[in-house]
């Protein structure tokens, strides 16, 4: 997609986005130049799925924006990830959290994370099942170099955003339950749900972070 169009797309999204909702521009497969155009349009947070792609973009753009990791993080990529990202939205195991903590400690850094919830209980998908989320949040919060700041979910993918609604509703309920439980060290501030086709529904159901790629950058090849 040509550059002025990307900038315009961002402006159109931001115009209609309530100001308490954070926009993450999901930038997988996009070039640093495309990301730059999105920043010109007003994007403040870049979401990346792959550490290597993020490294290339981060080398060009740096701390001008915040960086959220939104893909599946492999343990051997954690060291690089903690150098780049301000938030890891996809923590779904104590093992991964332990490695993040270890690498953050070495880098004298405290990192924000979200617990990824597999709200559709889909086999083979990442994220912790909803009934395990509170316990995982509590366990992770014990790590001194990690701050648990909320939940993230994808939900089962279908073309129709209404199909996602019940999963967003369930995740919102879980978010409120964990918040009410007042678990030491666990803050429920961010609820990251919704992509290009579903973010409006996600906002109706309580999301305060939305992750949008296609609507900003165009269809992926
Ligand atoms: C790609 C991606 C998005 C954005 O998807 P679009 O449909 O292009 O808006 C959001 N979240 C995650 C985790 C993604 O991988």
């Amino acid at each position: 997609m040509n550059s002025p169009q990307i900038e315009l797309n961002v402006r159109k999204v931001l115009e209609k986005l309530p100001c308490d909702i954070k926009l993450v521009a999901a930038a997988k497969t996009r070039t640093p130049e495309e990301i730059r155009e999105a920043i010109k349009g007003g994007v403040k947070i870049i979401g990346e799925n792959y550490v290597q792609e993020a490294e290339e973009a981060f080398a060009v753009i740096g701390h001008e924006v915040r960086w959220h990791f939104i893909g599946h993080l492999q343990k051997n990529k954690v060291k690089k990830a903690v150098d780049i990202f301000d938030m890891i939205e996809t923590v779904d195991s104590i093992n991964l959290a332990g490695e993040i903590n270890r690498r953050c400690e070495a880098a004298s850094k405290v990192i924000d994370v979200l617990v990824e919830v597999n709200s559709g209980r889909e086999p083979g998908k990442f994220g912790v099942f909803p009934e395990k989320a509170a316990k995982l949040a509590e366990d992770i919060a014990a790590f001194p170099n990690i701050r648990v700041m909320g939940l993230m979910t994808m939900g089962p993918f279908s073309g129709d955003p209404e199909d996602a609604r019940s999963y967003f509703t369930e995740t919102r309920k879980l978010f409120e339950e964990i918040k009410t439980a007042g678990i030491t060290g666990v803050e429920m501030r961010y609820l990251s749900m919704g992509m290009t086709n579903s973010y409006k529904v996600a906002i109706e159901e309580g999301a305060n972070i939305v992750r949008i790629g296609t609507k900003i950058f165009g269809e992926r090849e």
Side-chain angles (χ1 to χ4, degrees):
M1 187 174 287
N2 67 45
S3 304
Q5 189 62 51
I6 293 174
E7 190 181 335
L8 205 68
N9 289 344
V10 172
R11 290 191 193 287
K12 270 193 257 172
V13 169
L14 286 176
E15 220 164 72
K16 297 246 171 76
L17 207 64
C19 60
D20 52 342
I21 310 242
K22 290 183 189 293
L23 170 65
V24 171
K28 59 179 173 276
T29 78
R30 316 301 180 172
T31 64
E33 292 70 31
E34 289 173 297
I35 295 172
R36 250 238 191 281
E37 291 307 318
I39 294 170
K40 270 198 215 161
V43 161
K44 301 273 193 288
I45 308 171
I46 306 297
E48 291 280 4
N49 291 64
Y50 306 104
V51 173
Q52 191 170 338
E53 252 183 49
E55 270 187 294
E56 289 164 25
F58 183 76
V60 179
I61 294 162
H63 289 294
E64 190 182 325
V65 286
R66 294 177 68 79
W67 298 81
H68 284 201
F69 189 77
I70 62 173
H72 176 63
L73 186 54
Q74 291 169 309
K75 272 180 98 176
N76 63 354
K77 298 282 167 62
V78 170
K79 184 178 188 298
K80 280 182 177 155
V82 306
D83 283 342
I84 297 172
F85 292 100
D86 302 287
M87 181 184 281
I88 298 174
E89 294 200 13
T90 49
V91 176
D92 64 356
S93 76
I94 191 75
N95 234 338
L96 175 60
E99 182 64 9
I100 293 169
N101 183 67
R102 192 169 81 84
R103 294 299 188 178
C104 281
E105 195 180 355
S108 304
K109 170 171 181 171
V110 176
I111 202 163
D112 291 348
V113 308
L114 305 182
V115 170
E116 181 178 1
V117 179
N118 181 350
S119 55
R121 295 186 174 78
E122 294 173 282
K125 288 279 178 73
F126 297 113
V128 68
F129 278 17
E131 58 273 21
K132 305 259 163 127
K135 175 71 164 60
L136 182 62
E138 179 171 12
D139 290 348
I140 292 173
F143 289 118
N145 293 67
I146 294 182
R147 292 197 302 189
V148 179
M149 298 297 283
L151 304 180
M152 178 271 206
T153 197
M154 298 276 287
F157 186 80
S158 105
D160 182 353
E162 280 305 325
D163 293 343
R165 189 182 291 278
S166 66
Y167 301 100
F168 293 157
T169 314
E170 285 303 312
T171 308
R172 165 67 184 276
K173 271 193 205 151
L174 183 61
F175 178 81
E176 297 298 340
E177 277 166 26
I178 297 174
K179 188 189 277 187
T180 304
I183 304 165
T184 307
V186 174
E187 193 169 336
M188 284 289 118
R189 190 187 302 179
Y190 298 117
L191 181 56
S192 174
M193 316 192 286
M195 325 200 317
T196 290
N197 78 328
S198 59
Y199 76 96
K200 287 175 185 157
V201 170
I203 291 169
E204 286 167 10
E205 299 306 327
N208 56 18
I209 296 179
V210 293
R211 311 175 308 268
I212 300 179
T214 307
K215 191 171 175 134
I216 291 173
F217 298 105
E219 294 292 337
R220 281 178 294 274
E221 312 255 297

